[in-house]
């Protein structure tokens, strides 16, 4: 699932991914490296749990070490594995949760808030949020008007990856708007190469495509309304977005293998079809495509390149996934760690390491270690108030996150029959009503 795939892809693309222990203490060592001040948390122990392993874990442990060097606190990291809920649930029920958990989807914030498992953020953490984040991100980490979470790590989902040699052979340039994309696709198809490789067997990739089209055509306000089911999926704005998607799905020569082939192609096989098998020119997915592109023999920045998801309407879409830190034990150490993670200082420590994107608007892209990450970081800042979180990850999992059901299945049906927009809207609304129970 996409929740397991983040900007770690960029790190793996630039360096091989190793395995690290699942529980690691981070000790103080040397002089403070993340800022001045006395070590006010000397002797305090903090446990933080997140899903990261391998290089992603090692990089996060460097951030924790910077916090240790600054405060004197001893931080122990525990990997939850891919199912964060399955790891945290028994510990919460048993009364022994970690001090801090980093959640892979906002829905868990509301779930744990309903269980009275979360502690409100301190004034010091809220101050960092107000200084460094837009109101949207603050609301994303809230439940019932109480702020519980800090978005600490982002995945950029508004990208189109392309094969430079395919563009060269067709004589096309990266498009900047939807019509240019459709025109370029036709030119590439006429040159004998399928323009798109769709990962139709992995329904979440189709939700990512929908979210970009919808954010661009409907705008941020309607995006928010649809994500909360405050407007129905039968709304005209949804039909506009689905019809636009059909402009790519509806031409057989645009889709590698046709719709039937695309529906049998999972992620990351769709990436292999572009860079390894050279059967297609483009794949529409997030920054983590870098992993599979490199595994297929392409070098990121040379044969494997990106352009921003083109404007379909008035808004240049920037859709992010990401991870949200919450406090499960109300202690000065836990709150101090979130204050550090929410700060410009903490974000800059992390940004200098591979495979990280910050949602913190005051973390300069100049901190990032490679040109692609700098570019992606700049687009997040430039988008300002219009950046939005992955809509399907905001929905109840029965609707937005279950293989063969809900939105995943119905967007697969759209790929199969892109002329059936009205019927698919009706079915989407019926499934949404069941999931939201309204």
């Amino acid at each position: 699932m996409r929740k397991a795939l983040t900007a770690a892809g960029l790190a793996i693309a630039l360096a091989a991914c190793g395995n690290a222990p699942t529980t690691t203490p981070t000790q103080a060592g040397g002089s403070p490296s993340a800022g001045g001040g006395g070590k006010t948390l000397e002797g305090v122990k903090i446990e933080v749990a997140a899903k990261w392993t391998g290089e992603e874990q090692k990089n996060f442990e460097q951030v924790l070490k910077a916090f240790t060097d600054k405060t004197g606190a001893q931080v122990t990291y525990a990997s939850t594995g891919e199912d964060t809920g399955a790891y945290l649930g028994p510990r919460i029920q048993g009364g022994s949760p970690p001090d801090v958990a980093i959640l892979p989807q906002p829905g868990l914030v509301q779930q744990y808030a309903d269980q009275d498992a979360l502690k409100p953020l301190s004034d010091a953490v809220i101050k960092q949020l107000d200084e460094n984040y837009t109101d949207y991100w603050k609301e994303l980490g809230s439940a019932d008007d109480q702020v519980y979470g800090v978005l600490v790590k982002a995945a950029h989902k508004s990208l189109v990856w392309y094969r430079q040699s395919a563009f060269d052979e067709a004589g096309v340039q990266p498009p900047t708007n939807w019509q240019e994309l459709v025109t370029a696709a036709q030119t590439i198809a006429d040159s004998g190469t399928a323009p798109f490789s769709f990962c139709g067997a992995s329904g979440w990739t189709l939700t990512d495509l929908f979210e970009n089209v919808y954010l661009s055509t409907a705008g941020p306000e309607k995006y928010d309304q649809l994500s909360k089911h405050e407007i129905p999926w039968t709304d005209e704005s949804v039909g506009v977005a689905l019809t636009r998607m059909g402009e790519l799905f509806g031409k057989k020569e645009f889709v590698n293998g046709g719709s039937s082939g695309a529906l049998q192609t999972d992620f990351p096989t769709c990436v292999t079809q572009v860079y390894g098998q050279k059967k297609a020119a483009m794949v529409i997915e997030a920054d983590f495509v870098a992993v599979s592109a490199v595994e297929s023999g392409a070098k990121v920045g040379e044969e494997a390149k990106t352009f921003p998801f083109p404007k379909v309407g008035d808004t240049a879409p920037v859709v992010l996934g990401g991870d949200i830190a919450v406090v499960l034990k109300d202690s000065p150490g836990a709150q101090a760690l979130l204050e550090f993670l929410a700060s410009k200082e903490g974000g800059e420590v992390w940004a200098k390491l591979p495979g990280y994107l910050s949602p913190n608007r005051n973390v300069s892209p100049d901190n990032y270690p490679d040109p692609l990450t700098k570019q992606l970081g700049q687009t997040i800042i430039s988008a300002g108030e219009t950046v939005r979180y992955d809509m399907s990850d905001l929905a109840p999992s029965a609707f937005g996150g279950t293989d063969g059901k809900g939105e995943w299945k119905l967007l697969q049906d759209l790929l199969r029959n892109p002329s059936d927009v009205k019927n698919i809207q009706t079915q989407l609304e019926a499934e949404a009503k069941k999931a939201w129970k309204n």
Side-chain angles (χ1 to χ4, degrees):
M1 279 177 66
R2 65 198 181 291
K3 299 178 182 70
L5 303 166
T6 68
L10 298 177
I12 301 170
L14 299 169
C17 180
N19 292 318
T22 56
T23 305
T24 309
T26 304
Q27 304 272 355
S31 58
S33 62
K39 295 191 176 182
T40 56
L41 296 175
E42 197 82 58
V44 172
K45 295 182 178 181
I46 306 166
E47 183 187 14
V48 54
K51 71 177 188 294
W52 303 316
T53 59
E55 288 299 311
E56 215 170 2
Q57 174 181 333
K58 290 177 184 177
N59 289 339
F60 182 52
E61 285 173 340
Q62 290 190 54
V63 179
L64 296 178
K65 184 180 183 301
F67 173 75
T68 291
D69 289 344
K70 180 179 182 180
T71 65
Q74 180 178 325
V75 186
T76 299
Y77 176 84
S79 176
T80 66
E82 292 303 341
D83 193 339
T84 301
Y87 175 91
L88 291 176
R91 293 196 59 179
I92 291 170
Q93 292 168 12
S96 60
D99 299 273
V100 171
I102 299 180
L103 309 177
Q105 60 202 98
L108 289 172
V109 176
Q110 184 68 58
Q111 177 181 323
Y112 293 139
D114 290 343
Q115 297 173 16
D116 294 325
L118 302 183
K119 307 303 178 184
L121 300 183
S122 69
D123 290 343
V125 182
I126 298 293
K127 182 173 183 289
Q128 292 297 331
L129 280 175
D130 289 340
E131 289 178 359
N132 300 316
Y133 290 78
T134 66
D135 289 343
Y136 177 77
W137 298 124
K138 188 175 176 181
E139 292 165 8
L140 194 72
S142 302
D144 305 319
D145 298 322
Q146 179 69 59
V147 186
Y148 292 107
V150 177
L151 187 72
V152 293
K153 194 171 191 289
H156 199 301
K157 297 196 163 201
S158 296
L159 295 176
V160 180
W161 287 80
Y162 69 99
R163 181 163 51 87
Q164 182 66 62
S165 58
F167 272 44
D168 289 344
E169 289 162 10
V172 299
Q173 297 296 319
T176 60
N177 60 53
W178 189 258
Q179 187 53 55
E180 289 180 6
L181 177 66
V182 174
T183 300
Q186 188 63 63
T187 304
I188 293 166
D190 292 344
S191 76
T193 298
F196 299 105
S197 176
F198 289 113
C199 337
S202 299
W204 57 265
T205 65
L206 303 180
T207 70
D208 289 346
L209 174 57
F210 170 79
E211 288 151 9
N212 278 285
V213 175
Y214 190 78
L215 178 57
S216 189
T217 55
E221 184 178 344
K222 281 220 164 186
Y223 186 99
D224 293 343
Q225 292 172 341
L226 187 63
S227 70
K228 300 171 186 175
H229 198 220
E230 292 175 352
I231 58 174
W233 283 78
T234 50
D235 191 84
E236 181 183 357
S237 62
V238 176
V240 169
L242 296 178
T243 299
R244 289 292 201 174
M245 291 170 66
E247 293 175 9
L248 304 187
F249 295 164
K251 286 196 173 184
K252 187 176 181 180
E253 69 268 27
F254 276 18
V255 182
N256 184 51
S259 61
S260 60
L263 287 164
Q264 297 176 58
T265 303
D266 65 1
F267 187 92
T269 303
C270 53
V271 183
T272 305
Q273 290 178 348
V274 173
Y275 295 110
Q277 300 169 5
K278 295 181 169 51
K279 291 181 176 179
M282 291 177 277
V283 61
I284 303 172
E285 246 318 319
D287 50 32
F288 45 71
V289 163
V291 183
S292 301
V294 170
E295 288 174 347
S296 296
K299 187 171 182 180
V300 174
E302 294 183 7
E303 179 72 334
K305 292 186 177 181
T306 68
F307 57 86
F309 194 98
K311 285 178 68 173
V312 197
D314 294 333
T315 303
V318 177
V319 178
L320 302 183
D323 303 281
I324 298 176
V326 296
V327 174
L328 298 175
K329 284 184 180 177
D330 200 359
S331 67
Q335 296 285 355
L337 177 57
L338 258 69
E339 181 184 357
F340 181 73
L341 294 176
S343 70
K344 178 176 182 286
E345 176 186 4
E348 288 180 345
V349 172
W350 210 341
K352 290 179 173 67
L353 305 170
Y356 174 76
L357 280 171
S358 178
N360 184 322
R361 64 186 171 195
N362 290 320
V363 173
S364 169
D366 291 338
N367 289 283
Y368 294 119
D370 62 88
L372 176 57
T373 315
K374 286 180 181 179
Q375 172 194 337
L376 299 180
Q378 185 58 57
T379 64
I380 295 172
I381 292 173
S382 298
E385 298 287 345
T386 66
V387 178
R388 287 297 181 268
Y389 198 89
D390 182 310
M391 187 188 297
S392 62
D393 275 356
L394 297 173
S397 60
F399 179 78
T402 303
D403 192 18
K405 295 183 178 179
E407 190 182 3
W408 289 22
K409 176 191 179 296
L410 289 166
L411 291 182
Q412 288 170 329
D413 289 347
L414 180 73
L415 175 56
R416 185 178 292 109
N417 183 7
S419 66
D420 198 24
V421 169
K422 292 287 187 186
N423 182 43
I424 287 170
Q425 282 188 262
T426 300
Q427 293 183 68
L428 281 165
E429 175 59 16
E431 292 297 315
K433 282 182 174 178
K434 287 192 288 185
W436 270 273
K437 296 181 174 60
N438 61 17

